[in-house]
Amino acid sequence: MLRSAPFRHAAFAGGLFCVLLLAGRGHGIAGAEGTIRGLVDLRRTQVTAEARTASAAMGMPAHRPAELRPAVVYFDTAPRGAFELDESARATMDQLDETFVPHVLAITVGTTVDFPNRDLTFHNVFSLSKTKSFDLGRYSRGRSKSVRFERPGVVQVFCDIHSHMNAYILVFAHRYFAVTDPSGGYAITRVPPGSYTLAVWHEGEVRERRTVSLPDAGGTVEAGFVIR
Amino acid sequence: MRRCVPRLTVVAVAVVLGSPGLGGIAQAQHWPDAPVAFAGGRVLLAGDASATFGSEDPGWFTYTDYETDSLRRVRAGVTIEARPSRWLSFLAEIRAETRAGVVPYAWYVRVSPLENGVLDIQAGRIPPVFGTYARRNYPQDNPLIGDPLGYQYLTSARPDAVPANADQLLKMRGHGWLVQYPVGSSVAEPGVPMIAAGRWDTGVEVRAGKPGLEGALAYTVGTLSYPLVRDDNHGKQLAGRIVWRPVPAFAIGASAAQGAFISHDVLTARSDIPDGRYDQRAFGLDGEASWGRWLLRGELVANSWQLPPLDQPRITGPLGAVSGYLEAKVRMGPRFYAAARGDQLRFSTIQGTTGAQTWDANVARVEFGVGYRIRRGLLVKASMMNNWRDGGKVRQSRLAAIQALFWF
């Protein structure tokens, strides 16, 4: 499975910067708020997170079934007034069965993420991402450490002990994003009328962009995507 | 001994920088940092490549055989695992290494018959059950560049050639890199390390238990210091290991092994070689402790080789060797770490014509190093080591090395 390259992370952060620039321009907030929702079809993108196969292993590693990993749908350009964020927000990324849960966490700038260890073994959460580089060291079951994310961008998270553990944290400078549910559904609510570019991010890459318009009367606009 | 540094450097750079290009990945600007899975995870492909360049080692402290210096080599490996079912897998590792060419390093079948995974059986060219270091002989598992003496340093013991008396053995003190004896093979060859980390043995291994307490037993054709694909003496080795991990932060293990060491060609070289067992025996203790950013590891191995007693002055008792190391690693952020290892290898005393001496020259090593992680699967290391030996032409050697390695 190929993962994000630094230039894609930079592009993502750049996109979020553009959001800030565009926020004060074309998008008004005079009409009724509405919802943009839809289905992201991920059926052909199952991922198997296997431990690094090593001939030195003394026994059979646990088989990990293929899984569907969520996508994130977000606005490339956000409406004015989208940047009043809750700086005290908290989120959690568990370490359970040698897996980060959830695999994708989408948060706003200023959010503090807790990383509790719920496994019997040690974990060592770290990231080398430019958006936020950190190393929490080794800690055991029942303990938790936290990191505050102060810049928008993509943060890829790893465990130094378990090579198959990885996850993504997407840090947004606005609140117009949604992580897909297990069936691929998403909904971005309280959207002011206007025309927006929707981006679909999946496993380190922006897979598709599309312009979607919400009428002045508000309501619900459907926007579906197929990721192959 | 040939030193082709420019060629080695070019190959090193090509391997490390070119590794991501496997399968056209580099063209797409992607670096794999996890094994590549096919067929829904039933076939896995993992790989690693490393290039090491160090200062010249005139004392042969860091050689793994006559031509291979562990501080000057390029290595690449590919591991393929096929898992046709939950309880069965086939695994092969192929390595290419400077001067060694391309060799099948490991190939075995693994059966896990019980649903809860408390029992595994592995048959073929299998990982050693003794100690810990031989199973972490991948560049990314070793925080430094050098290996522990017990797993790398070439002693003057050979399975295919033996001295006829104690004086001939003492004459080879500190000469493990090229040893010649009159009984058996007359060709000058390197001696063996206590435990060969660079080559695996062939046989069957059974592992049982849970991560908190597990044990393994292996029956193989070679010995710890001389692993084989085909038996050379009609003798087998039995090796066992037990590991207790009372808490995630601490593990302690004990290992033992005994196997026929001397090859059949030696035992038939002279008619006066007495019947008996000419075994390698070893007992080892190992421990690992970790907390926060610290990781501590240590091993102690007591080993002996029994040689046939032939001419006066006779080598009567087993040739003993004890090695031990203590290793510490501390992470200083997501990218940097520092590590150090202190290491000793000491030999037992035998009686020669001119008096009592250790049968090989005692050796000590201290190594310090740092590592910088460029990305998840790309690491650069630098280290300095001091070696001391109380025999041979070169008694002390200070060496420096850098290593770049990539794995997925």
Side-chain angles (χ1 to χ4, degrees):
Chain A
M1 176 62 206
L2 304 179
R3 295 213 163 74
S4 64
F7 74 88
R8 262 182 276 115
H9 288 195
F12 179 87
L16 292 175
F17 181 70
C18 290
V19 165
L20 291 166
L21 293 177
L22 293 168
R25 296 189 179 180
H27 304 293
I29 52 171
E33 291 182 333
T35 298
I36 297 174
R37 71 178 187 188
L39 201 66
V40 181
D41 186 346
L42 296 163
R43 279 175 297 181
R44 297 191 180 191
T45 58
Q46 289 197 71
V47 173
T48 306
E50 294 288 354
R52 185 177 188 276
T53 186
S55 58
M58 296 280 280
M60 186 89 80
H63 176 67
R64 295 175 178 276
E67 56 180 309
L68 277 175
R69 288 179 166 174
V72 179
V73 184
Y74 64 92
F75 283 6
D76 247 1
T77 53
R80 185 183 301 158
F83 308 102
E84 294 152 10
L85 304 174
D86 180 5
E87 293 281 314
S88 62
R90 288 196 91 92
T92 300
M93 180 171 272
D94 280 317
Q95 299 152 78
L96 182 66
D97 294 332
E98 295 183 7
T99 308
F100 287 113
V101 181
H103 175 69
V104 176
L105 187 64
I107 58 172
T108 52
V109 167
T111 301
T112 298
V113 176
D114 297 311
F115 293 92
N117 181 357
R118 300 191 194 283
D119 276 336
L120 290 171
T121 58
F122 267 1
H123 289 301
N124 187 151
V125 185
F126 77 97
S127 176
L128 303 173
S129 302
K130 285 179 181 169
T131 302
K132 184 71 181 182
S133 177
F134 61 91
D135 183 350
L136 300 184
R138 291 171 178 234
Y139 55 96
S140 58
R141 182 187 181 93
R143 290 192 63 201
S144 180
K145 295 192 178 184
S146 50
V147 178
R148 183 180 155 92
F149 294 86
E150 287 150 340
R151 288 171 55 194
V154 178
V155 179
Q156 196 168 8
V157 180
F158 297 108
C159 173
D160 186 50
I161 302 167
H162 302 98
S163 63
H164 52 286
M165 288 178 68
N166 68 83
Y168 288 97
I169 297 174
L170 278 71
V171 189
F172 289 92
H174 61 79
R175 62 171 182 80
Y176 297 98
F177 58 83
V179 180
T180 56
D181 62 30
S183 61
Y186 77 93
I188 301 174
T189 58
R190 293 169 47 215
V191 180
S195 185
Y196 306 102
T197 301
L198 271 185
V200 181
W201 177 98
H202 186 247
E203 289 295 288
E205 293 182 73
V206 175
R207 307 295 291 268
E208 194 173 336
R209 281 191 168 85
R210 187 187 304 170
T211 303
V212 176
S213 296
L214 192 74
D216 285 344
T220 299
V221 172
E222 295 281 342
F225 299 87
V226 178
I227 305 296
R228 297 188 190 281
Chain B
M1 182 178 54
R2 289 169 295 165
R3 310 267 192 198
C4 48
V5 174
R7 188 171 141 214
L8 186 68
T9 308
V10 169
V11 174
V13 170
V15 167
V16 171
L17 297 182
S19 300
L22 292 169
I25 287 163
Q27 291 157 359
Q29 299 285 306
H30 290 300
W31 296 70
D33 53 21
V36 181
F38 305 96
R42 296 204 180 279
V43 179
L44 292 172
L45 178 73
D48 65 88
S50 66
T52 310
F53 182 71
S55 44
E56 193 168 339
D57 177 12
W60 305 78
F61 287 98
T62 58
Y63 277 68
T64 55
D65 62 45
Y66 180 56
E67 289 199 323
T68 309
D69 183 352
S70 61
L71 300 189
R72 288 185 171 198
R73 66 178 166 185
V74 177
R75 191 164 79 174
V78 174
T79 305
I80 304 162
E81 184 174 5
R83 297 177 183 168
S85 74
R86 188 206 58 76
W87 56 271
L88 177 69
S89 74
F90 299 92
L91 201 143
E93 181 177 351
I94 298 160
R95 276 191 188 174
E97 192 172 315
T98 319
R99 302 193 191 285
V102 178
V103 289
Y105 183 75
W107 38 264
Y108 58 87
V109 58
R110 185 156 53 196
V111 180
S112 186
L114 303 181
E115 190 76 33
N116 55 9
V118 297
L119 182 70
D120 291 296
I121 301 160
Q122 302 185 149
R125 200 159 195 191
I126 52 174
V129 301
F130 193 98
T132 61
Y133 188 79
R135 283 192 310 284
R136 61 182 176 103
N137 187 32
Y138 295 89
Q140 67 270 26
D141 297 330
N142 178 6
L144 295 160
I145 297 175
D147 300 310
L149 289 166
Y151 287 89
Q152 170 264 312
Y153 184 79
L154 301 171
T155 70
S156 54
R158 278 181 63 177
D160 59 340
V162 296
N165 59 48
D167 290 341
Q168 289 171 1
L169 179 63
L170 292 171
K171 196 178 166 188
M172 287 292 151
R173 289 178 85 248
H175 270 262
W177 44 275
L178 202 60
V179 182
Q180 195 165 26
Y181 295 123
V183 183
S185 170
S186 58
V187 181
E189 295 274 3
V192 292
M194 276 175 53
I195 304 165
R199 208 156 47 126
W200 287 3
D201 214 346
T202 312
V204 180
E205 177 212 314
V206 177
R207 184 206 65 86
K210 289 279 191 181
L213 180 66
E214 63 180 335
L217 207 60
Y219 188 67
T220 57
V221 297
T223 63
L224 294 180
S225 58
Y226 194 55
L228 293 168
V229 176
R230 287 184 186 162
D231 196 357
D232 71 340
N233 56 15
H234 312 298
K236 303 290 184 289
Q237 175 181 262
L238 192 62
R241 172 169 170 74
I242 189 160
V243 186
W244 181 45
R245 193 179 284 274
V247 289
F250 184 70
I252 186 163
S255 309
Q258 180 172 357
F261 176 66
I262 300 296
S263 72
H264 181 71
D265 290 347
V266 170
L267 299 176
T268 55
R270 277 178 49 162
S271 57
D272 59 343
I273 293 179
D275 289 339
R277 290 187 64 90
Y278 301 109
D279 285 350
Q280 179 183 6
R281 295 179 189 187
F283 178 76
L285 290 172
D286 56 84
E288 178 183 306
S290 59
W291 68 97
R293 299 176 187 279
W294 286 87
L295 176 62
L296 273 178
R297 287 164 165 159
E299 278 194 69
L300 184 69
V301 179
N303 177 76
S304 71
W305 290 284
Q306 181 70 57
L307 303 191
L310 298 172
D311 302 338
Q312 296 290 348
R314 279 198 177 126
I315 303 166
T316 49
L319 303 178
V322 176
S323 84
Y325 72 85
L326 193 62
E327 176 185 292
K329 175 186 172 186
V330 57
R331 289 180 58 142
M332 297 179 292
R335 293 188 189 274
F336 264 113
Y337 72 79
R341 185 190 296 132
D343 209 348
Q344 284 263 354
L345 175 57
R346 306 187 79 83
F347 299 93
S348 62
T349 302
I350 60 168
Q351 191 70 38
T353 307
T354 56
Q357 265 189 306
T358 58
W359 63 270
D360 200 345
N362 293 335
V363 196
R365 175 181 292 168
V366 175
E367 186 175 3
F368 301 93
V370 292
Y372 179 79
R373 184 154 43 191
I374 296 168
R375 52 168 297 134
R376 167 74 167 161
L378 189 60
L379 179 68
V380 178
K381 298 186 220 171
S383 82
M384 286 200 68
M385 68 163 74
N386 254 321
N387 294 278
W388 296 271
R389 181 167 53 205
D390 65 1
K393 281 184 184 171
V394 179
R395 301 285 179 111
Q396 186 179 354
S397 184
R398 179 174 291 180
L399 306 170
I402 55 168
Q403 183 180 69
L405 60 114
F406 165 77
W407 73 94
F408 67 93

